[in-house]
Amino acid sequence: AQSVTQPDIHITVSEGASLELRCNYSYGATPYLFWYVQSPGQGLQLLLKYFSGDTLVQGIKGFEAEFKRSQSSFNLRKPSVHWSDAAEYFCAVVGNEKLTFGTGTRLTIIP
Amino acid sequence: SQTIHQWPATLVQPVGSPLSLECTVEGTSNPNLYWYRQAAGRGLQLLFYSVGIGQISSEVPQNLSASRPQDRQFILSSKKLLLSDSGFYLCAWSVVATRGGELFFGEGSRLTVL
């Protein structure tokens, strides 16, 4: 069965600083990977996804993620965060028609 | 375009009372439907998924049940709520038979059991 680990429960960064959120996955076949963002009290919105091809994936809101098979990782990055990026971020892997989520990383932005 | 509606948005119920959360999808046919629960600090846990009318798969044993009486309607129920049922419940849909298909989420229903 697939699994996802997000080792950082909570990250705080200054506005304008760079960001990297970590995600490690476990899946026997080629993974399909996703990053979702959740604003407080809201549903989840897809940021980006990786199926195949270029291992650097561009998403919405200036986010990107890099798939590294050798490290079983799919880390999310943004070069300069904005206060509106404060939210919870979930990494997910799909297998057998079901999406398995990590436990999430809560991002706080300080002025 | 496709939309997903979930209600009620907020619910406060006493222990032992019944529960019914509804979810409907518009603008697509034969979607995969999902119920997730999000408890504080525990990420998203898949509770049920359905690939068609009357077809329900349960991921974890629990006090809840799900039904799909129509193609685009998914209902989460309980006969008697427990304190541990409190949480944020999210309905989602995806395109059938698309392994890499993304999930589209509703806005969620916050359930507090007192």
Side-chain angles (χ1 to χ4, degrees), chain A residues 27 29-32 34 36 38 41-46 49 51 88 90 94-104, chain B residues 32 34 36 38 41-44 46 49 59 88 90 94-108 110:
Chain A
Y27 185 60
T30 299
Y32 287 8
F34 302 79
Y36 283 83
Q38 183 183 31
Q42 300 294 314
L44 278 72
Q45 180 185 22
L46 181 69
K49 57 188 175 184
F51 290 170
E88 189 143 19
F90 292 92
V94 70
N96 301 322
E97 297 289 343
K98 294 177 288 183
L99 210 57
T100 298
F101 287 88
T103 51
Chain B
N32 281 344
Y34 307 82
Y36 283 86
Q38 187 176 22
R42 296 184 60 185
L44 283 87
L46 179 62
Y49 72 96
E59 288 298 293
F88 192 53
L90 289 159
S94 68
V95 176
V96 173
T98 301
R99 175 170 174 261
E102 67 185 89
L103 289 184
F104 300 90
F105 285 85
E107 292 300 310
R110 182 161 302 283

Side-chain angles (χ1 to χ4, degrees), chain B residues 63-75:
Chain B
N63 186 43
L64 302 169
S65 62
S67 62
R68 185 170 177 173
Q70 301 180 42
D71 181 43
R72 291 168 290 174
Q73 183 184 25
F74 205 26
I75 298 172

Side-chain angles (χ1 to χ4, degrees), chain A residues 74-107:
Chain A
F74 189 54
N75 294 347
L76 182 71
R77 301 194 295 245
K78 187 170 184 178
S80 176
V81 297
H82 186 261
W83 63 266
S84 60
D85 293 325
E88 189 143 19
Y89 292 80
F90 292 92
C91 182
V93 62
V94 70
N96 301 322
E97 297 289 343
K98 294 177 288 183
L99 210 57
T100 298
F101 287 88
T103 51
T105 297
R106 184 159 61 92
L107 175 64

Side-chain angles (χ1 to χ4, degrees), chain A:
Chain A
Q2 66 270 22
S3 66
V4 177
T5 301
Q6 292 180 249
D8 303 306
I9 297 173
H10 185 202
I11 285 182
T12 300
V13 298
S14 299
E15 191 169 12
S18 64
L19 171 71
E20 182 169 30
L21 302 183
R22 296 184 290 166
C23 171
N24 292 97
Y25 69 90
S26 173
Y27 185 60
T30 299
Y32 287 8
L33 296 159
F34 302 79
W35 274 100
Y36 283 83
V37 61
Q38 183 183 31
S39 298
Q42 300 294 314
L44 278 72
Q45 180 185 22
L46 181 69
L47 282 177
L48 47 78
K49 57 188 175 184
Y50 170 78
F51 290 170
S52 64
D54 193 347
T55 56
L56 185 62
V57 180
Q58 302 298 321
I60 62 172
K61 304 183 181 185
F63 286 92
E64 65 179 25
E66 186 171 13
F67 170 60
K68 293 186 178 180
R69 185 186 299 275
S70 61
Q71 298 177 22
S72 298
S73 69
F74 189 54
N75 294 347
L76 182 71
R77 301 194 295 245
K78 187 170 184 178
S80 176
V81 297
H82 186 261
W83 63 266
S84 60
D85 293 325
E88 189 143 19
Y89 292 80
F90 292 92
C91 182
V93 62
V94 70
N96 301 322
E97 297 289 343
K98 294 177 288 183
L99 210 57
T100 298
F101 287 88
T103 51
T105 297
R106 184 159 61 92
L107 175 64
T108 298
I109 308 294
I110 55 176

Side-chain angles (χ1 to χ4, degrees), chain B:
Chain B
S1 63
Q2 301 91 354
T3 57
I4 179 169
H5 302 284
Q6 189 180 338
W7 72 94
T10 304
L11 196 60
V12 180
Q13 292 285 99
V15 170
S17 64
L19 170 73
S20 180
L21 300 179
E22 293 197 33
C23 172
T24 59
V25 180
E26 297 176 358
T28 188
S29 297
N30 198 26
N32 281 344
L33 295 171
Y34 307 82
W35 277 111
Y36 283 86
R37 177 169 59 200
Q38 187 176 22
R42 296 184 60 185
L44 283 87
Q45 179 186 34
L46 179 62
L47 302 176
F48 301 96
Y49 72 96
S50 171
V51 299
I53 296 175
Q55 300 178 60
I56 308 295
S57 296
S58 175
E59 288 298 293
V60 293
Q62 59 204 315
N63 186 43
L64 302 169
S65 62
S67 62
R68 185 170 177 173
Q70 301 180 42
D71 181 43
R72 291 168 290 174
Q73 183 184 25
F74 205 26
I75 298 172
L76 183 69
S77 304
S78 174
K79 292 182 179 179
K80 290 185 177 181
L81 285 169
L82 305 172
L83 287 174
S84 58
D85 292 324
S86 292
F88 192 53
Y89 290 82
L90 289 159
C91 181
W93 71 274
S94 68
V95 176
V96 173
T98 301
R99 175 170 174 261
E102 67 185 89
L103 289 184
F104 300 90
F105 285 85
E107 292 300 310
S109 298
R110 182 161 302 283
L111 171 65
T112 303
V113 182
L114 302 175

